[in-house]
Amino acid sequence: MLELRNVSYRVEQDSAGKEILKNISLTIKERFVAVTGPNGGGKSTLAKVLAGIIVPTEGRIFLDGEDITDLSITERAKRGISFAFQQPVRFKGITVKDLIALAAGKKLSTAEVCDYLSEVGLCARDYVNREVNASLSGGELKRIEIATVMARGTALSIFDEPEAGIDLWSFQNLIHVFEEMYNKIQGSILIISHQERILNIADKIIVIAGGELSRTGTREEILPELLNTVGTCPKQK
């Protein structure tokens, strides 16, 4: 279980400061947790605070009772937190096979790597030996990154708008990937998204607006209200 206690994040801007996150307290223990809210509300900042990319200026973060507030992204990864960027990182000189094996923390056969790639809708033989570089599109990188998170199999997997850049790949397949991931690793999956189809699989929805925790509750409690709020949760066609 992940717990945030009075977490805030402030940045210095010119001669004044700006609060990006304001006194957020919540727990994350459900299978699927969705974080949503208006653009610029602090969702991605919250994800980076959870992953250890940035350190909160106030408050504490606990993972299964351990205070991890001051731990680096590497130390948090060792304790079971994975993070998938909204814009995946490219790794020149590293093949897709090597990247997925590195994420898994062990040597993988080509067949095992192909299984992960197939899960995210990629034809494995076309990608397994390719470099993770500029020759790959944003959508291809996004799917490969999702495959690496699946290979890690951590207690908490965080995805920042995983649907971005994969327009040609159906949302239903993306949802299937998350369901299969949970069945395999039994860990929590936190997804930052505006998309109704993703929010519709969430066991818990957290709404962040203006850097504050606006609402939190079950899908049944939160989603109907979001669907009636312009600009918060666009419906899928």
Side-chain angles (χ1 to χ4, degrees):
M1 181 179 74
L2 190 73
E3 181 183 4
L4 281 72
R5 298 181 187 172
N6 307 115
V7 168
S8 297
Y9 180 68
R10 180 184 179 89
V11 295
E12 296 304 319
Q13 196 173 61
D14 298 326
S15 58
K18 179 180 180 181
E19 275 197 302
I20 309 300
L21 297 177
K22 306 173 186 177
N23 198 36
I24 292 179
S25 295
L26 57 85
T27 59
I28 297 169
K29 59 182 179 180
E30 293 79 5
R31 179 179 59 163
F32 292 119
V33 178
V35 179
T36 192
N39 290 331
K43 301 183 301 300
S44 291
T45 299
L46 176 63
K48 291 174 182 177
V49 165
L50 297 179
I53 298 172
I54 57 180
V55 179
T57 48
E58 293 181 22
R60 311 304 295 177
I61 303 171
F62 296 85
L63 179 64
D64 295 330
E66 178 188 5
D67 189 338
I68 63 169
T69 310
D70 299 318
L71 297 186
S72 68
I73 185 172
T74 301
E75 292 169 321
R76 293 192 197 192
K78 291 177 180 178
R79 283 163 172 77
I81 297 178
S82 296
F83 181 77
F85 290 89
Q86 187 175 347
Q87 298 296 328
V89 180
R90 301 174 191 269
F91 299 93
K92 185 177 181 180
I94 298 179
T95 67
V96 171
K97 179 180 179 180
D98 291 339
L99 184 63
I100 294 177
L102 182 64
K106 60 183 179 180
K107 186 175 181 179
L108 296 177
S109 67
T110 299
E112 289 173 316
V113 173
C114 287
D115 285 342
Y116 286 117
L117 292 174
S118 296
E119 285 284 348
V120 296
L122 293 177
C123 181
R125 67 175 180 272
D126 294 336
Y127 291 92
V128 67
N129 291 316
R130 287 183 64 177
E131 283 192 20
V132 188
N133 57 22
S135 68
L136 294 169
S137 70
E140 289 169 329
L141 283 169
K142 176 68 75 171
R143 297 197 210 182
I144 290 168
E145 185 177 47
I146 293 172
T148 64
V149 174
M150 293 178 65
R152 286 209 63 217
T154 50
L156 175 63
S157 302
I158 303 169
F159 294 89
D160 191 355
E161 298 194 21
E163 70 275 9
I166 53 173
D167 297 336
L168 298 180
W169 191 38
S170 74
F171 277 102
Q172 193 58 48
N173 285 337
L174 181 61
I175 291 168
H176 173 73
V177 166
F178 292 135
E179 291 173 338
E180 286 298 307
M181 183 185 301
Y182 176 77
N183 291 335
K184 290 178 181 178
I185 66 178
Q186 299 295 302
S188 295
I189 299 170
L190 185 146
I191 308 171
I192 294 174
S193 180
H194 292 285
Q195 303 296 337
E196 179 186 344
R197 295 186 192 179
I198 290 181
L199 298 181
N200 201 46
I201 67 170
D203 300 306
K204 181 177 187 176
I205 295 177
I206 297 167
V207 183
I208 302 293
E212 297 181 296
L213 181 61
S214 173
R215 283 159 285 171
T216 182
T218 65
R219 174 180 63 250
E220 292 78 13
E221 292 170 335
I222 303 297
L223 189 55
E225 183 179 351
L226 288 179
L227 294 178
N228 293 320
T229 303
V230 177
T232 300
C233 179
K235 293 186 177 182
Q236 299 301 305
K237 296 180 179 180

